Amino acid sequence: MPELPEVEVTRQGLLPHLPDRRVVRVSWSDKTLRFPIPGELLAREVSGQRIETIDRRAKYLLVRMSNRAVLVIHLGMTGRLGLFSANSPRERHDHLHLLLDNDLELRLNDSRRFGSVEVWPEKQAREMEDNFSATLGLEPLERGFTGEALHRLATGKRQPVKNFLMDSRRVAGIGNIYANEILFAARIHPATPVNLLNRIQWEQIANATPEILQAAIKAGGSTISDFLGSSGKPGYFQLQLRVYDRTGKPCPCCRSPIEKTELGGRTTWFCPSCQRHKAI
DNA sequence: CGGCGCACCTGAGTGC
DNA sequence: TGCACTCAGGTGCGCC
C-alpha cells in the first residue's frame, strides 16, 4: 500500500507533533503482524523515553528515542499511523498504541497485517541500523540518485526495468503505483530488460522518479482504497495517475488505450505507443 | 547469484 | 441478501 510518498506524507504529518514528547505507556494487540510485536523491547526501550525525531528510509519509518533506541514501523499494504485523542475509542485493527504526555496517542492500524513493528535496542541500534540500511538501495530523493548510479546498479542484470525499480535492494521506496507512473513519464516499456537500456534512458528514469514522487508527496499521496495520512486526510495524487489502473483509458499523450499486462506477479499498465522497448 | 512463484491477511468489489 | 470469487499500495522465503 503505502509507497515512498505515502510513508513520507505520514512522516511529515507527524513531525510537528512528536519531537520532545515523552512516551508514557505502550500497548499492543496480541495479533502477529509480519513478525510478532516485540512487547518486551517496547516496554524496556521505548516506554518512558522521549521522542527525538522521526525519519524515513525506503518505506520504513524510524522513530528515534532519546536513549538512541529506534522504533521501526513498516505500513505494509494497509497500515496507517496517526495521532488520536487518548480517550477516543480504539478501532478494529489498531495494533500498537503509544500514549504520549500530551494526552494524544500514536496508533498503528493495519487490517491486513503485512506491516511490521521492530525495536532496535539502544545498545545495538547503531549496528542494526547499518545492517538494515546496507540491504536497501538508492534513495530516490537523495543526491546519489543519478542515471549513472542506476546504470551501474543494473550492470549484469536482465530483469525487466519495472521489477528493477521495485527491487528494494537496488532502489528504495518504489512500489507498483509509482513504478508504472515513472516508466510512463520516462517513456520506457516496463518489460524492457535493464541491460538493454541506454544511458539516456537511465537519465530519463533518474529525472522522472523524483519528479513523480515529489508531486505525489505534494498531493498528499495516493488514496486508492484506504491510505490516510497521519491527520486522517486522504491524498489526491490518484487524480493525477496517468497509467495505473487505467486499462482502456486514453493515454494522456497520444490517446492510445492504456494496456494491462503482468510482470513479476504484479499488474502493470503502460501506453503501447509511447512506451516502446527501443526508445529514442 | 538471479529470477520466479507463493504465502502471509482482510476487505472491497463484482457477478450470479 | 448472500455467496463465491477476484483483486489490492509489500516483503521475503524457498526453489529452480
Side-chain angles (χ1 to χ4, degrees):
Chain A
M1 78 114 325
E3 303 184 33
L4 185 153
E6 291 74 29
V7 177
E8 183 62 20
V9 165
T10 300
R11 186 187 79 83
Q12 290 179 12
L14 293 172
L15 198 52
H17 306 289
L18 294 188
D20 286 336
R21 295 266 68 94
R22 187 171 296 278
V23 177
V24 173
R25 189 172 65 226
V26 185
S27 52
W28 54 90
S29 78
D30 55 3
K31 292 288 182 67
T32 294
L33 306 185
R34 170 170 284 283
F35 319 111
I37 294 174
E40 195 181 316
L41 288 175
L42 286 167
R44 193 177 80 216
E45 306 278 337
V46 175
S47 188
Q49 298 296 319
R50 248 182 333 101
I51 295 173
E52 298 266 294
T53 193
I54 176 167
D55 291 333
R56 179 190 57 75
R57 172 77 167 102
K59 298 171 190 161
Y60 294 85
L61 289 166
L62 309 180
V63 183
R64 300 191 185 278
M65 313 305 298
S66 49
N67 61 355
R68 314 240 118 206
V70 184
L71 170 62
V72 185
I73 294 175
H74 193 287
L75 300 178
M77 292 277 265
T78 48
R80 300 175 199 171
L81 193 61
L83 279 169
F84 299 83
S85 165
N87 54 23
S88 66
R90 289 180 179 166
E91 296 200 6
R92 185 166 158 76
H93 306 305
D94 278 354
H95 294 297
L96 178 68
H97 332 90
L98 302 197
L99 177 63
L100 306 180
D101 59 0
N102 57 354
D103 278 331
L104 291 181
E105 199 165 61
L106 182 66
R107 295 177 182 169
L108 173 67
N109 184 286
D110 184 3
S111 59
R112 287 178 77 181
R113 289 190 265 133
F114 288 173
S116 62
V117 173
E118 291 176 89
V119 174
W120 298 334
E122 62 173 300
K123 297 223 172 88
Q124 305 149 61
R126 192 42 161 322
E127 188 193 348
M128 290 177 88
E129 180 161 356
D130 288 346
N131 293 341
F132 161 81
S133 206
T135 65
L136 296 168
L138 288 181
E139 280 293 334
L141 302 184
E142 285 181 6
R143 240 168 281 293
F145 197 81
T146 63
E148 195 189 340
L150 291 169
H151 199 163
R152 214 178 315 123
L153 278 173
T155 46
K157 317 262 182 319
R158 295 151 185 248
Q159 67 188 148
V161 62
K162 179 171 178 254
N163 299 22
F164 175 87
L165 290 178
M166 292 177 66
D167 183 343
S168 63
R169 296 167 302 173
R170 325 238 182 265
V171 179
I174 297 177
N176 202 27
I177 293 180
Y178 297 102
N180 282 292
E181 295 297 311
I182 288 163
L183 290 170
F184 175 79
R187 297 285 182 270
I188 295 167
H189 193 290
T192 314
V194 286
N195 58 322
L196 298 186
L197 292 176
N198 62 36
R199 104 184 274 103
I200 293 172
Q201 292 173 307
W202 284 118
E203 290 299 334
Q204 288 170 327
I205 292 172
N207 291 333
T209 300
E211 268 176 37
I212 300 266
L213 297 178
Q214 292 286 15
I217 291 167
K218 210 167 170 186
S222 296
T223 297
I224 299 300
S225 66
D226 52 14
F227 169 75
L228 298 175
S230 59
S231 61
K233 293 197 185 106
Y236 293 96
F237 193 72
Q238 68 277 10
L239 302 175
Q240 297 176 54
L241 296 176
R242 295 191 283 179
V243 291
Y244 180 85
D245 199 23
R246 295 184 59 79
T247 312
K249 300 200 171 138
C251 167
C253 282
C254 74
R255 318 318 289 174
S256 301
I258 297 301
E259 287 186 10
K260 177 168 93 160
T261 180
E262 189 175 298
L263 278 175
R266 313 301 294 275
T267 310
T268 301
W269 291 268
F270 63 101
C271 170
S273 163
C274 295
Q275 295 171 265
R276 296 174 184 275
H277 284 79
K278 303 232 167 173
I280 306 305

